């Protein structure tokens, strides 16, 4: 294990991500232009654009299932809630005395 600090990714709201992808998908910005304009990394906007882009007929048959940004955001929220409920259940199941 390393003692180096882990690089934390900035947290962006779902609305921000969707608005950023609209610049590329609807307004004609390149990913680099949108990233520069918004002050974010090109890799971040690239991930968001791929998540929002509808797969073509060829891709949908060969690629595994992908979530769009809203579905991914909800999945993360539900996983956190599920973990919290598991912890609460474990606390209740611990025998007293």
């Amino acid at each position: 294990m390393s003692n180096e600090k882990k690089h934390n990714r900035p947290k962006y709201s779902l609305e921000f991500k969707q608005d950023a992808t609209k610049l590329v998908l609807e307004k004609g910005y390149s990913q680099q232009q949108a990233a520069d304009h918004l002050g974010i990394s090109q890799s971040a906007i690239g991930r968001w654009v791929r998540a929002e882009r509808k797969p073509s007929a060829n891709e949908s048959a060969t690629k595994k299932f992908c979530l769009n940004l809203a579905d991914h955001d909800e999945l993360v929220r539900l996983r956190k809630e599920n973990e919290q409920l598991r912890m609460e259940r474990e606390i209740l199941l611990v025998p007293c005395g």
Side-chain angles (χ1 to χ4, degrees):
M1 289 273 239
S2 175
N3 287 337
E4 294 177 31
K5 286 187 177 182
K6 188 176 174 181
H7 178 65
N8 291 328
R9 245 186 231 175
K11 303 283 188 209
Y12 298 105
S13 71
L14 175 61
E15 184 179 9
F16 180 84
K17 292 176 186 179
Q18 289 172 329
D19 289 344
T21 60
K22 284 179 186 176
L23 290 175
V24 175
L25 298 175
E26 296 175 11
K27 303 291 185 189
Y29 281 61
S30 71
Q31 289 183 14
Q32 185 63 58
Q33 289 171 323
D36 291 343
H37 179 72
L38 297 170
I40 60 175
S41 70
Q42 185 177 356
S43 63
I45 200 162
R47 281 191 309 273
W48 305 339
V49 168
R50 281 191 303 277
E52 285 297 289
R53 220 176 239 149
K54 306 289 186 245
S56 67
N58 293 350
E59 291 174 335
S60 63
T62 59
K63 280 193 171 183
K64 63 181 183 176
F65 179 73
C66 288
L67 298 175
N68 66 25
L69 292 173
D71 291 341
H72 182 266
D73 193 53
E74 182 177 15
L75 178 62
V76 169
R77 182 188 62 77
L78 290 171
R79 284 181 175 168
K80 286 179 184 177
E81 181 180 340
N82 196 16
E83 182 59 29
Q84 179 67 32
L85 292 170
R86 278 191 186 125
M87 289 179 4
E88 290 172 3
R89 184 189 69 199
E90 289 298 317
I91 291 169
L92 292 173
L93 293 177
V94 173
C96 296

